[in-house]
Amino acid sequence: MNGAVTAIIAAIFLWWFSTGVILLAVRRADRSGRHQALVLAGLPLLVVGVGAVAASLMRADVAGVYLGFLGALAIWGWIELAFLAGVVTGPMRADCLPGLSGKARFFRAFATVSHHELLLTVGLLGLVLASGGAENHMALATYLILYLARIFAKLNLFFGVPRINMEFVPLRLIHLKSYFRRGPVTLAFPAAITALTALLALCTERLWFAGSDAAVAGYGLLTALVALALLEHWLMVIPLPDAKLWRWMLPAPKTMPKEER
């Protein structure tokens, strides 16, 4: 039980801390204009992540579990940094056209993030290939949960949810706001909630019946990660001030005229 509690607390802290660090780095890049330099400076994070994943694959112990989890988070974190810094996004960097709807709106919205989606998918495929025949699939499981949760979140922001936190959208991604839709939930929301709840139940059941310290640590980390993803989706409809978790640690945002984007 202690191993499960430790893993859950570790996952929650790493989620909060890593999100805050990325937001802080991007906010400072917005103020200095050094977005590409930020992404290049973050490359060691990607290298360390790949190295941690490689070191974890043939380790079925607790240390291997944490190595895989941290490695996947590091790879994911660098890709998110590149996206939020506006370096890896998509070919479309303009606002959504007024009155655009249906397939035209969907494909235009996808073009704003297509390069990011491609890079995330390449990362997933790389982990699938690397994990073939490995004893430890923690890195792949971690990344896959993040990947699925991100797809669900983006679809709901596109189709519509009552609450959208616009506060932390970086300057170079300010055009994305025009593709978000604030309104009643659509079928995308119950679909996401159902899938994430089922995944949470599965991870919780595996945690409850875990037969080794490594399994306890692994399913503790994954259970917490899925629970956080589910919470993030519920915060799209429940009016709670979630932005306060990070607002206190960030400098004031810099405003930028539309023509300078």
Side-chain angles (χ1 to χ4, degrees), residues 147-159:
Y147 187 86
L148 292 175
R150 177 51 54 87
I151 290 176
F152 288 144
K154 285 181 176 177
L155 288 175
N156 275 284
L157 289 173
F158 173 80
F159 287 116

Side-chain angles (χ1 to χ4, degrees), residues 3-240:
V5 172
T6 300
I8 290 170
I9 293 175
I12 293 172
F13 173 77
L14 288 168
W15 165 80
W16 170 80
F17 181 74
S18 60
T19 301
V21 169
I22 291 174
L23 290 175
L24 176 60
V26 172
R27 180 66 62 84
R28 288 183 171 175
D30 282 344
R31 296 175 68 86
S32 67
R34 297 173 59 84
H35 297 90
Q36 292 184 350
L38 170 65
V39 175
L40 289 175
L43 277 175
L45 177 66
L46 177 62
V47 173
V48 169
V50 172
V53 169
S56 75
L57 294 175
M58 294 303 171
R59 296 190 58 167
D61 56 358
V62 174
V65 166
Y66 277 96
L67 272 175
F69 184 77
L70 291 170
L73 284 185
I75 294 171
W76 183 273
W78 183 82
I79 295 175
E80 285 302 286
L81 179 66
F83 171 66
L84 293 174
V87 175
V88 180
T89 56
M92 177 58 65
R93 293 176 177 265
D95 290 351
C96 185
L97 298 175
L100 199 64
S101 62
K103 292 182 179 179
R105 178 172 174 265
F106 178 84
F107 286 116
R108 186 180 175 93
F110 180 73
T112 66
V113 295
S114 58
H115 296 164
H116 176 235
E117 297 303 314
L118 176 61
L119 187 56
L120 288 176
T121 303
V122 168
L124 177 61
L125 292 177
L127 287 174
V128 169
L129 293 175
S131 300
E135 295 184 26
N136 181 0
H137 293 88
M138 187 65 193
L140 176 59
T142 300
Y143 194 98
L144 184 58
I145 289 172
L146 293 169
Y147 187 86
L148 292 175
R150 177 51 54 87
I151 290 176
F152 288 144
K154 285 181 176 177
L155 288 175
N156 275 284
L157 289 173
F158 173 80
F159 287 116
V161 284
R163 295 188 68 253
I164 301 177
N165 182 9
M166 304 282 196
E167 183 174 343
F168 298 136
V169 177
L171 284 181
R172 299 187 76 187
L173 299 182
I174 206 73
H175 59 282
L176 293 184
K177 292 183 179 182
S178 65
Y179 295 90
F180 298 161
R181 176 172 287 168
R182 183 179 278 115
V185 297
T186 65
L187 289 177
F189 185 77
I193 293 298
T194 300
L196 290 173
T197 301
L199 186 55
L200 178 60
L202 175 62
C203 290
T204 303
E205 185 268 340
R206 296 293 176 88
L207 174 60
W208 184 263
F209 292 105
S212 67
D213 290 343
V216 168
Y219 284 114
L221 291 167
L222 296 179
T223 298
L225 196 61
V226 178
L228 289 168
L230 188 59
L231 175 62
E232 287 183 326
H233 279 73
W234 277 114
L235 289 174
M236 295 180 182
V237 299
I238 300 174
L240 291 176

